[in-house]
Amino acid sequence: MDIAALREKNPEHWMKAAAIRALTLDAVAAANSGHSGMPMGMADVATVLFEKHLKFDASAPKWPDRDRFILSAGHGSMLIYSLLHLCGDAQVTLDQIKNFRQMGALTAGHPENFLLDAVETTTGPLGQGIANAVGFAMAEEIQRAQYGRKLVDHYTYAIVGDGCLMEGISQEAIGLAGRHSLGHLVVLWDNNNITIDGSVELSDRTNQVQRFRASGWHVQEIDGHDPEAIDAAIEAAKKTKKPSMIACKTHIALGHAAQDTSKGHGALTDADQMKAAKEAYGWSFGPFEVPADIKSQWEAIGARGAADRAAWEERFAEASKQKQDRFNRAYALDVPKKLSAVVKALKKQISEEKPSVATRKSSEMALAVINPIMPETVGGSADLTGSNNTKTEDLGVFDTDNRRGRYVYWGIREHGMAAAMNGMALHGGIRPYSGTFFCFTDYARPAMRLAALMKIPTVFVMTHDSIGVGEDGPTHQPVEHLAICRATPNTYVFRPADTVETAEAWEVAISSKETPSVMALTRQNLPTLRTEHKLKNMSAQGAYVLAEAENKRQVILIATGSEVSIAMDAKAKLEAEGIGTRVVSMPCMELFAEQDEAYRRRVLPAGAVRVGVEAAVRQGWDQWLLGERARPGKSDFVGMDRFGASAPAGELYEKFGITASNVAEKAKALLS
């Protein structure tokens, strides 16, 4: 690559881009870790994007109608940190650049949305960012239809690498974007043909250009180091009604001895090679030094969007108060005042009518009263609409001819669905939820984990939650999945026992601002257990006394979901023998753990023996069976210690001993 020719062709652009490259080299060298090559290779593309196209204001990184910039190739985090610092972002000071990847710094190894306001999404696990970007673009389309182009009219730009496009989630994402003609989505592919192991050809021969075209995208191929070509391509991308992919042919670690090699992917710290690279750039300044004239040019870029923001604020002020209030409430993640009342009314109705329904149906009943009062909710299913019960009559279907539709047919793409829902939540103003079978959390899990890490309240509706699935057999019967979800920090895992608890769980989940929720719901019908109407949301406490002992309390049965009714039947058997038994329903272990110790002691007092009942593995239960002042050696668990089998649900519960008789016998054995 003729660096001198690039410098001479457009010297002003070159020096702005060189500032990114120099800061990247300095920061990675200071940290002695990181990824230098991608920021060095994509500096030209990023410079043109930020200077000529990206609608943003560095002084107001959360302005609602900004363009969204997503660095899907998050390992190249010094690209976004350099851009933010150069543009004058108040958070990304020079000290933050100097402390790249260090304890307490905002400039973490991969971009974290909860550390920096201008980082739209946490990236690093490859492919997540491009799928997030699809969700961002879908959210923009929905909100533009709801609020009008005067208030919502922006683009989502994503920089992706070869690794992002190798991950299977990328096909799920691009197929979805092409199907829905997301014309405000622009993907810039860093086409450098290098991975950590070496050339892409070691492991892949996919023609990415043809793949995107086949998926319904507008595609261009350009020299990723030619600023005029980059500018023209982005301009053309903004005019098409299709999602756009620009294949930017670049050189990883441009200008460095490691250029176009796998070594260029990682940390470039050799002092002599760094010096030679900077000399090739014409960069004669000291470490972390950016000349005032170049910095001022970048700061002008960072301030360029202030006029757009001011104009938007004027338009927003002219909107009706009702529209302003709805917009502000949705972006603040505040629930409408009516929410509590409609949930209470549903609970009262259920307590009186006492239906026997599957909690997947209970969930639909809750959504039927929530969705009409929350226009920001967007539901969906991964090709299981009739099984997940996530579609209510008022939603309408999101499609190319109905951007106001709030129900998404995601297709068989659980991972892409979950990641795109995260993108919707991160965009702001949208409350996404969607469903699949609980066993397919295995497919969605990377995005579910990132929702927890990013502190966003995505709701994952997971039905068919146990061996109660029945005849579909062990492939579709989750046994370890509750434990996996509960092991994930900052995640609420709800397993409601009936329709009343399901409504309460939805009220908590849809009110959450920083914690995602997993709704584990049954296929099989369950009786209404909460027959006495209570205004209080009992499930919000995580666990509570459902039924008190009639005789002197000797046993506490703790159960979740479909097994609470089994615990109630076991209680009846024990009470008939004079053994006082308390039943504790525990719809959400995480919420119970958050309660103060005094409340937990009231629910799980010392003295009585304890038996946990759940059609899943024991892992995660010992905190409540062995801890919390439990009697040593006086607890047991009735559940699963193996995979299920193919048979009717009732036969399976008998086969694996998850029965009232077995629960009662376990309790009596502990008393002997």
Side-chain angles (χ1 to χ4, degrees):
M1 191 72 188
D2 190 343
I3 300 294
L6 290 176
R7 288 170 50 189
E8 292 173 8
K9 184 176 181 181
N10 194 327
E12 186 174 296
H13 161 85
W14 175 263
M15 292 305 285
K16 286 198 289 284
I20 296 172
R21 296 179 171 113
L23 284 174
T24 294
L25 284 168
D26 292 338
V28 172
N32 198 33
S33 74
H35 299 81
S36 311
M38 193 282 278
M40 295 165 70
M42 285 296 281
D44 295 303
V45 172
T47 298
V48 173
L49 174 63
F50 271 63
E51 181 177 14
K52 298 183 180 299
H53 297 279
L54 195 72
K55 183 174 67 172
F56 78 109
D57 180 357
S59 69
K62 290 297 186 183
W63 160 44
D65 200 38
R66 68 194 180 278
D67 286 343
R68 271 62 169 179
F69 172 66
I70 295 167
L71 187 65
S72 186
H75 58 276
S77 55
M78 269 310 301
L79 178 66
I80 193 168
Y81 298 151
S82 297
L83 288 162
L84 294 177
H85 170 66
L86 291 168
C87 287
D89 185 286
Q91 290 182 299
V92 189
T93 63
L94 190 58
D95 280 343
Q96 291 291 340
I97 297 292
K98 290 179 177 179
N99 284 285
F100 174 56
R101 285 179 161 238
Q102 303 309 298
M103 180 66 73
L106 302 178
T107 47
H110 293 86
E112 309 289 2
N113 70 300
F114 50 86
L115 294 180
L116 292 171
D117 290 341
V119 170
E120 301 287 358
T121 179
T122 294
T123 55
L126 294 177
Q128 291 291 322
I130 187 172
N132 290 164
V134 172
F136 274 88
M138 293 173 76
E140 191 269 346
E141 294 280 359
I142 292 168
Q143 289 195 328
R144 181 150 34 92
Q146 288 183 338
Y147 296 106
R149 192 176 291 273
K150 288 184 177 180
L151 297 187
V152 181
D153 188 17
H154 53 263
Y155 287 82
T156 298
Y157 296 93
I159 286 180
V160 309
D162 292 305
C164 292
L165 299 188
M166 279 196 217
E167 292 285 0
I169 190 176
S170 71
Q171 183 57 42
E172 296 184 23
I174 70 172
L176 186 71
R179 164 62 183 83
H180 286 294
S181 299
L182 302 178
H184 280 211
L185 173 62
V186 180
V187 167
L188 301 150
W189 171 33
D190 178 19
N191 179 17
N192 61 44
N193 204 47
I194 294 294
T195 66
I196 293 174
D197 279 350
S199 170
V200 166
E201 279 74 22
L202 284 172
S203 55
D204 193 51
R205 64 184 301 172
T206 303
N207 186 316
Q208 299 294 351
V209 167
Q210 290 183 7
R211 180 163 77 110
F212 275 80
R213 284 192 178 129
S215 298
W217 287 57
H218 175 264
V219 182
Q220 303 171 77
E221 298 180 74
I222 63 167
D223 177 351
H225 300 297
D226 181 343
E228 292 181 358
I230 298 165
D231 182 25
I234 297 175
E235 195 62 48
K238 289 157 66 176
K239 293 177 180 176
T240 179
K241 293 183 179 180
K242 297 179 178 181
S244 186
M245 190 273 267
I246 304 173
C248 306
K249 189 59 185 172
T250 60
H251 295 270
I252 198 169
L254 180 73
H256 191 277
Q259 177 182 312
D260 299 328
T261 70
S262 59
K263 187 178 186 302
H265 175 90
L268 305 178
T269 59
D270 181 273
D272 291 338
Q273 291 180 349
M274 286 174 57
K275 180 181 178 183
K278 289 183 178 181
E279 287 175 353
Y281 299 156
W283 193 264
S284 58
F285 315 105
F288 299 104
E289 181 184 352
V290 179
D293 62 328
I294 297 174
K295 185 66 164 71
S296 65
Q297 290 174 36
W298 269 111
E299 288 177 352
I301 293 170
R304 178 174 53 82
D308 285 329
R309 177 172 62 86
W312 179 86
E313 289 171 348
E314 289 182 9
R315 294 194 299 275
F316 187 78
E318 293 169 357
S320 68
K321 186 178 185 306
Q322 182 183 23
K323 183 178 285 189
Q324 288 183 38
D325 289 347
R326 181 157 63 94
F327 187 96
N328 287 333
R329 182 184 61 73
Y331 268 82
L333 294 176
D334 292 332
V335 297
K337 294 177 181 178
K338 292 180 180 179
L339 178 64
S340 178
V342 299
V343 170
K344 286 184 175 70
L346 176 61
K347 288 167 54 179
K348 186 173 188 297
Q349 175 190 341
I350 296 302
S351 294
E352 292 172 351
E353 296 178 357
K354 304 177 182 60
S356 178
V357 297
T359 51
R360 58 174 174 156
K361 178 63 178 178
S362 304
S363 174
E364 181 184 18
M365 295 162 71
L367 289 168
V369 301
I370 292 170
N371 283 335
I373 66 168
M374 294 188 69
E376 64 269 35
T377 58
V378 175
S381 171
D383 200 53
L384 292 167
T385 296
S387 295
N388 297 148
N389 295 89
T390 44
K391 187 175 186 288
T392 58
E393 292 182 0
D394 59 301
L395 290 179
V397 176
F398 176 79
D399 209 337
T400 53
D401 60 353
N402 184 23
R403 297 309 203 192
R404 296 182 71 89
R406 293 160 51 205
Y407 190 81
V408 180
Y409 287 111
W410 292 101
I412 304 96
R413 40 168 76 90
E414 296 88 358
H415 194 180
M417 172 186 75
M421 284 200 296
N422 286 347
M424 288 181 169
L426 289 160
H427 176 279
I430 296 288
R431 285 274 190 176
Y433 71 87
S434 200
T436 184
F437 288 168
F438 193 31
C439 61
F440 298 145
T441 53
D442 291 338
Y443 290 152
R445 170 150 176 75
M448 296 170 71
R449 177 178 184 269
L450 282 172
L453 176 64
M454 292 191 287
K455 302 178 183 178
I456 52 174
T458 314
V459 181
F460 303 99
V461 180
M462 299 296 177
T463 69
H464 297 58
D465 70 341
S466 72
I467 59 170
V469 170
E471 292 85 348
D472 277 344
T475 59
H476 285 56
Q477 293 168 4
V479 294
E480 75 274 31
H481 299 73
L482 281 165
I484 293 170
C485 290
R486 287 170 179 156
T488 306
N490 189 40
T491 300
Y492 291 147
V493 182
F494 292 97
R495 193 162 186 255
D498 65 3
T499 303
V500 174
E501 281 194 359
T502 305
E504 291 180 335
W506 265 110
E507 183 178 16
V508 175
I510 212 70
S511 302
S512 172
K513 292 189 176 185
E514 292 191 342
T515 301
S517 297
V518 177
M519 296 288 192
L521 307 171
T522 67
R523 178 194 186 195
Q524 69 273 33
N525 290 346
L526 304 180
T528 297
L529 300 175
R530 289 273 295 277
T531 56
E532 180 185 346
H533 176 56
K534 293 182 182 295
L535 293 174
K536 185 175 183 178
N537 186 323
M538 304 298 290
S539 299
Q541 300 172 107
Y544 62 95
V545 178
L546 176 65
E548 188 51 278
E550 298 157 33
N551 293 289
K552 180 183 177 182
R553 184 175 62 232
Q554 300 180 65
V555 174
I556 299 176
L557 303 180
I558 316 167
T560 77
S562 47
E563 287 68 70
V564 178
S565 61
I566 292 174
M568 290 292 286
D569 290 343
K571 168 186 165 61
K573 291 179 179 294
L574 290 166
E575 295 281 0
E577 297 183 35
I579 301 171
T581 302
R582 168 185 284 189
V583 173
V584 171
S585 180
M586 188 175 279
C588 183
M589 290 184 178
E590 297 77 26
L591 284 171
F592 187 57
E594 290 178 4
Q595 306 306 305
D596 60 56
E597 184 179 2
Y599 176 75
R600 296 201 309 272
R601 286 187 175 187
R602 288 198 300 274
V603 175
L604 297 178
V609 301
R610 300 179 186 181
V611 179
V613 192
E614 185 172 70
V617 298
R618 176 168 177 157
Q619 188 171 345
W621 271 89
D622 285 353
Q623 179 178 1
W624 316 117
L625 297 179
L626 304 180
E628 297 287 316
R629 302 171 72 215
R631 288 174 61 185
K634 293 298 182 179
S635 65
D636 208 339
F637 178 75
V638 175
M640 299 292 294
D641 59 4
R642 71 200 84 171
F643 292 112
S646 178
E651 294 180 22
L652 289 170
Y653 272 80
E654 289 285 344
K655 161 75 174 175
F656 293 108
I658 308 174
T659 64
S661 295
N662 191 35
V663 172
E665 289 302 317
K666 293 279 188 180
K668 288 191 289 184
L670 292 170
L671 293 171
S672 61

